[in-house]
Amino acid sequence: VSVERHTGNDLGILTLSLNRPHAKNALSRSLVHSMRGALSSIRSDSTVRALVLRSSVPRVFCAGADLKERALMTPSEVEQFLYDMKLMFRELEALPQPTIAALDGAALGGGLELSLCCDLRVAGQSALLGLPETSLAIIPGAGGTQRLARLVGPSRTKALVFTARKFGAAEALRMGVVTDMAEGAGEGAAYERAMEWAREILPNGPVAVRMAKRAIDHAGSVDLATGLDIEQLCYAQVIPTQDRLEGLRAFKEKRKPNYTGH
């Protein structure tokens, strides 16, 4: 895993790249450990306003679990690995910053499940997505049955999981599995489109964006009255900020605001 902190006009955007070319970024113990270390430092870094998760390996985002490594594990080691992987996925999902997965190439099994932990997903023209676990006589074991169902509904999720079907970018967009599809067909097109999304987020108040994410993340798990209470609590967090006052001043003075995250 490599970390790139962008500079210049892209200051505040961080790119986290999967780079395990010999195994098509398959999720191994070492990769999961590296991801958890990177996420731990990002979580408390207030200078990061948007995270883009991508692959440095051509034609693949993440091929899922490392089945060759898995075959050498004892049942107890498999259980521990799955626990650690679920923790890593939850840590990605719980980051306070907006996260965008750039899906250039294959995102299968655990690879698709990894992308489902991000707030937004952008698919390239060459993307191939799916949860094929039932074809291996197992089920999605890193949140796929839960996160995908919350995203596209139980019926559509059952259809995709029961059949172990793989599908492309256009169908993924139509079903709502991804947020956007890159127009270009070249390698890295999804990453470039993801960066465009990150740049749109960048000028906005970072505290406000974080609080909005927190409120929206609760929307599907609580009743409306509780959700509105959570929204109000999140709104209360932005009221005392200097950024809120800067936004009012900028609006009055008809200029772009300069938000600092305070």
Side-chain angles (χ1 to χ4, degrees), residues 82 118 120 122 124 154 220 230:
L82 290 175
C118 291
L120 309 177
V122 178
I230 292 170

Side-chain angles (χ1 to χ4, degrees), residues 8-215:
N9 292 335
D10 291 338
L11 184 67
I13 302 175
L14 184 146
T15 295
L16 188 60
S17 300
L18 305 176
N19 188 22
R20 196 169 176 243
H22 63 281
K24 298 182 180 180
N25 291 336
L27 295 165
S28 64
R29 281 183 281 199
S30 62
L31 181 57
V32 168
H33 178 76
S34 296
M35 280 285 292
R36 293 196 67 192
L39 294 173
S40 178
S41 64
I42 294 167
R43 184 182 309 113
S44 57
D45 190 342
S46 61
T47 66
V48 178
R49 297 193 183 186
L51 168 70
V52 177
L53 178 63
R54 67 169 300 194
S55 167
S56 297
V57 181
R59 298 183 299 280
V60 64
F61 173 72
C62 174
D66 189 333
L67 297 181
K68 291 181 180 179
E69 182 183 77
R70 181 84 60 90
L72 301 176
M73 294 181 187
T74 65
S76 62
E77 287 174 331
V78 171
E79 187 175 349
Q80 181 62 49
F81 171 73
L82 290 175
Y83 178 78
D84 291 340
M85 185 166 65
K86 287 177 183 178
L87 278 180
M88 184 267 283
F89 280 23
R90 186 69 189 99
E91 287 160 358
L92 172 60
E93 186 175 48
L95 282 178
Q97 302 95 335
T99 55
I100 309 166
L103 307 178
D104 283 303
L108 300 170
L112 178 56
E113 289 175 304
L114 177 64
S115 76
L116 292 173
C117 298
C118 291
D119 299 308
L120 309 177
R121 283 157 299 284
V122 178
Q125 298 283 344
S126 63
L128 181 66
L129 285 64
L131 295 174
E133 284 86 350
T134 55
S135 68
L136 299 171
I138 56 176
I139 72 168
T145 64
Q146 302 304 304
R147 292 188 179 96
L148 188 59
R150 283 163 170 77
L151 190 64
V152 303
S155 180
R156 182 160 280 163
T157 299
K158 288 175 181 177
L160 295 174
V161 172
F162 293 172
T163 61
R165 184 172 158 202
K166 299 172 185 176
F167 48 94
E171 189 172 3
L173 182 63
R174 179 180 60 78
M175 291 189 294
V177 177
V178 300
T179 316
D180 193 11
M181 182 174 67
E183 293 183 3
E187 186 67 35
Y191 175 61
E192 291 304 320
R193 182 61 180 144
M195 285 293 293
E196 291 176 12
W197 277 98
R199 292 182 187 114
E200 284 192 57
I201 294 169
L202 208 52
N204 300 322
V207 178
V209 171
R210 290 181 181 212
M211 288 302 103
K213 174 173 176 172
R214 182 179 297 179

